[in-house]
Amino acid sequence: MQIRRLREERGYSLEELAERSGLSFRGLIYIEHGRRNPGVLTILSIASGLDVAPARLFEDVAETSDEADSER
């Protein structure tokens, strides 16, 4: 997921994103580091906090999947 990259592009700290999204600071850390998989509502909250469409959070996942498909 692109959460950290998008957060840093906007100049938000983890604390700011937590406040903007209504999520906990610690929960965001776990999600950013891949230690927790967010549910749909959490993804929507993060996207809202970053002011992006939810699909933007998955751009790297889609690209990786497309590359794997084209190699087959």
Side-chain angles (χ1 to χ4, degrees):
M1 271 203 265
Q2 296 290 317
I3 298 168
R4 184 176 185 174
R5 183 184 59 79
L6 292 166
R7 176 179 61 78
E8 290 175 347
E9 282 178 4
R10 284 153 181 73
Y12 298 157
S13 66
L14 277 165
E15 292 89 352
E16 288 173 304
L17 180 55
E19 186 175 316
R20 291 177 58 88
S21 63
L23 301 172
S24 73
F25 171 79
R26 186 159 310 279
L28 281 172
I29 289 174
Y30 288 142
I31 293 167
E32 270 197 11
H33 292 272
R35 300 170 97 196
R36 182 176 295 159
N37 292 319
V40 173
L41 294 177
T42 300
I43 290 168
L44 294 174
S45 295
I46 293 169
S48 177
L50 291 168
D51 197 29
V52 299
R56 290 276 319 270
L57 301 177
F58 297 98
E59 286 178 344
D60 67 328
V61 175
E63 290 171 7
T64 302
S65 178
D66 289 343
E67 289 173 8
D69 289 343
S70 67
E71 290 177 2
R72 290 183 190 167

